[in-house]
Every structure is written in C-alpha cells, then in structure tokens.
Amino acid sequence: MVARPEKKSARDIRVPSVISPSKAAREAAAAEKTKKPISTVVTDATDDTGANESSSAQHTALVPVGTAPVDVAHDRFQREVRKHIGKSDLVLGTRGEAYIRTNEKGNPQLLRLASKKADHWLRKVAKSNGEWLTDKKLEEVNNQLKAYAEMELKPVDVYLRVAPYADGIELDLGDDEHTIVRITPGKVELVSEGSETLFYRTNVTLPFVKPAEKGDLGKLKKYLKNIRPEMQVLLIAWLSYTLAHPKVSATKFVNLALIGGQGAGKSFLCKLIARLIDPSQVGLQIMPKNTTDLVVAAQNAHVLLYDNTRKLSEAMSDALCVCATGGTLSKRKLYTCLLYTSP
C-alpha cells in the first residue's frame, strides 16, 4: 500500500516489494475480470505541477474460417461471415475477445472487433461488395462475427506490446508496417515479416522509437541527474525487467513508487518511462476510483502510470497487487468495456 508520504528528499525514489494480495478476495465479486499481470507506476501528491511464460511456449495454431465440419445452416452462416471479412480470418483470444486477422504482407495484424479500426475495416470490405454498413447494420455484423468466433474457433494467445519468443521476447514496435523487435541472448533484430506472434493494439497505442544498433545508458542517465546513483541502478533494473516480461500468468511485476518533494521531477520521470516502454495517447492518469476502471486500464496498457497519488484505499491497494501478480478481478463479462475511447 502506498500511503500519504512523508516529506522526502527531492532525489528519493523507492522500489517497493510486491505485496501479497491477501485482501483481494473482497474485491473479486465487485471488479472486472483480468488474468494478466500489469506493471504500475505510482507517484505521490506533493508535486502538483503536472510537469515469461516458459521460454518454450508454443503459439496455438489459428483455426481458419470455414475449416470446421458444419451442416447446411452452418455453411450458410460461414458464407455470410466470409462475405464480411473477405480473405481475412477471425481469431478468438483466451479472454473471449474476438479479432479480425488481416492477411496482408508483413507480420500478422489483429483488429479487435467493435474497435474503431475494425469498424472502419469492415465498412471498407462491405463497400468493395457494393454494400454500405449503417451503425445498426455494423452492430449486427460485429455480433455475428463474435458469435461465430465464440462457437467455432479455438482460443489462442494474443499479446499487447510484449510476447514470449523461444529463449527471448518479441516487442510490437507499434508502427504502420507492423515491425517486431526480436530480442534473444546477444542479439536484437527488426523483423518485418514472418513472425507468428499475434499482437493486438488499442485505440491509444503509440509506436516505439526504433532501437539503436548500439545501446548507450549514458544517454538515459542524463535525464536522471536528480536521482541518487544507487537509485538510478534500481530504476534501470525495473525498466529492463518490465519491458522484458510479457503479461502472462508466470510473470510477477513489481509496482514502482516515485516519492519526492514538489518540483522533484516525478511527473517528468513518469512520462519518460511511458515513452521508453509503453508509449500511449493516454499519458499520466489519476488513480481510478474503482477496480472496474482499473481493469479497463490494465487491458489497454503494458504499464499503468498514476500521478499525484495522495493515498490508496485498502481495496485499491489490494487490486494493484492482484494486477501486478496476475490474479483475477471479476465483476461481469462485458468485453466491450475493455476499449479505451481515443482522446
């Protein structure tokens, strides 16, 4: 739990231990469902300036539309589905969310059903068939595709930002070319095609900067001059650990608390962290008032950044620990609530 902080030195930064979520059971009946861990950064309120799963994990093969044995009615249903998605495929994620996998050049691209990008894509396909999708018709198409995915497809793993790969990881660069950064021992590659990892993006995902051929920590440390040297080491370790671990059941994240006086640069440091490991249009947020909002945020980010946190309720403290350690927060299955609205 992060309580109201004492006045600290402007250069004080702490990395708290992960607290066992012993009280999370009280929230299990009142919060949205999440099975993926999430890393969180929390700052105190004294600055109001505003300034792996197993390495051998296998990717489950996709089940293409139209491969399951069906009767005549199902066959007609499949033809209707195929009309809506063209040459693309449907994908069912392990949390029950459905995606369109567009079969274009390069690495796989997933569009979550009912998102703005998926709706725009469905309308383009319909237009190519001489049909215009009204909002009502579009809703019917989305419901039809989701029903097909739930009934006919085998759930597969999809990832946001970071995914396991053999003895390393893959990162979704977030660019229009769907470039993937593959990191294995002693090697970093930019992969423009051929990856089998399924990444999804939210409405607020922004691209990473492409990695340099040769790293230089000195370029990062020049932004950390207000932090003691030993704390710089801890921060860099936290950044490396968080970026190198996908949100899978085996991962246990560490919540980071930045504590300092007014003008110490906590908000600036949070923005720097976001740009380094999870660029997003959302930016810094205030602590949510309920666990449902926390779940929505956790499903749309690899790292949560909360600024000017004066205090944490016991319930929210427990919920953050559950998110970090991969527990479950459940209230109702309402997957359409897991979409951020673009600012």
Side-chain angles (χ1 to χ4, degrees):
M1 175 177 175
V2 180
R4 185 181 183 92
E6 304 174 359
K7 289 188 177 180
K8 302 289 180 181
S9 165
R11 303 193 308 176
D12 190 14
I13 176 173
R14 301 177 185 173
V15 181
S17 301
V18 176
I19 304 172
S20 176
S22 58
K23 300 178 183 178
R26 298 198 306 270
E27 289 298 300
E32 193 72 35
K33 181 179 179 183
T34 176
K35 294 184 179 179
K36 304 292 185 180
I38 182 74
S39 184
T40 309
V41 179
V42 182
T43 74
D44 66 13
T46 56
D47 181 3
D48 56 1
T49 60
N52 228 354
E53 209 152 37
S54 172
S55 61
S56 60
Q58 299 294 316
H59 298 293
T60 306
L62 294 178
V63 180
V65 173
T67 59
V70 293
D71 57 20
V72 175
H74 279 163
D75 189 50
R76 184 171 63 250
F77 187 29
Q78 286 187 333
R79 288 198 301 269
E80 189 73 12
V81 168
R82 177 58 65 194
K83 182 186 74 171
H84 295 317
I85 65 174
K87 297 180 180 180
S88 298
D89 294 321
L90 288 178
V91 172
L92 181 67
T94 52
R95 293 195 307 271
E97 67 281 19
Y99 303 86
I100 300 169
R101 172 178 173 165
T102 61
N103 293 325
E104 301 174 348
K105 292 182 179 180
N107 296 309
Q109 176 184 2
L110 294 186
L111 304 176
R112 183 186 283 175
L113 284 183
S115 68
K116 289 183 177 180
K117 290 183 178 180
D119 287 348
H120 178 70
W121 188 88
L122 288 171
R123 281 187 159 124
K124 285 179 63 178
V125 173
K127 183 180 179 181
S128 68
N129 294 327
E131 182 182 2
W132 294 89
L133 292 183
T134 63
D135 289 345
K136 183 177 181 180
K137 179 63 177 177
L138 182 61
E139 183 179 1
E140 293 176 359
V141 170
N142 275 310
N143 290 336
Q144 186 180 40
L145 295 177
K146 190 174 190 303
Y148 179 87
E150 291 178 348
M151 296 299 295
E152 300 291 336
L153 302 184
K154 182 179 179 181
V156 298
D157 291 324
V158 297
Y159 301 95
L160 176 66
R161 284 295 188 195
V162 189
Y165 173 80
D167 56 347
I169 59 170
E170 287 187 336
L171 306 176
D172 178 17
L173 199 61
D175 59 0
D176 293 337
E177 291 74 31
H178 297 275
T179 307
I180 286 175
V181 182
R182 182 175 294 164
I183 304 175
T184 52
K187 190 175 184 181
V188 178
E189 304 172 82
L190 292 179
V191 181
S192 58
E193 60 181 355
S195 173
E196 297 181 358
T197 304
L198 299 177
F199 284 108
Y200 75 94
R201 298 174 183 176
T202 71
N203 293 332
V204 296
T205 300
L206 292 178
F208 281 116
V209 175
K210 286 188 177 181
E213 292 186 7
K214 185 177 181 181
D216 183 0
L217 280 179
K219 293 182 178 180
L220 173 61
K221 288 182 177 180
K222 70 179 183 180
Y223 296 104
L224 308 178
K225 293 180 179 179
N226 60 334
I227 301 175
R228 297 197 305 270
E230 64 272 21
M231 295 296 126
Q232 291 181 17
V233 174
L234 290 178
L235 177 60
I236 292 171
W238 182 88
L239 289 169
S240 301
Y241 178 88
T242 303
L243 184 61
H245 286 76
K247 292 165 61 177
V248 297
S249 58
T251 300
K252 309 300 178 186
F253 285 113
V254 177
N255 290 334
L256 175 67
L258 304 179
I259 303 173
Q262 182 175 351
K266 302 183 299 297
S267 297
F268 169 79
L269 187 54
C270 277
K271 294 175 182 177
L272 179 63
I273 289 172
R275 292 190 65 180
L276 287 173
I277 60 178
D278 194 20
S280 169
Q281 295 180 39
V282 174
L284 300 184
Q285 306 174 73
I286 60 172
M287 187 65 67
K289 295 181 179 180
N290 56 69
T291 51
T292 299
D293 291 342
L294 177 65
V295 169
V296 174
Q299 298 291 358
N300 286 274
H302 186 64
V303 177
L304 298 177
L305 296 146
Y306 295 120
D307 198 15
N308 290 328
T309 304
R310 288 180 170 80
K311 63 180 180 179
L312 284 176
S313 66
E314 289 187 357
M316 188 57 67
S317 177
D318 291 342
L320 287 173
C321 290
V322 170
C323 283
T325 56
T328 298
L329 298 171
S330 60
K331 181 178 180 182
R332 62 187 183 278
K333 291 183 178 179
L334 191 58
Y335 294 106
T336 53
C337 283
L338 298 182
L339 295 173
Y340 263 142
T341 300
S342 298

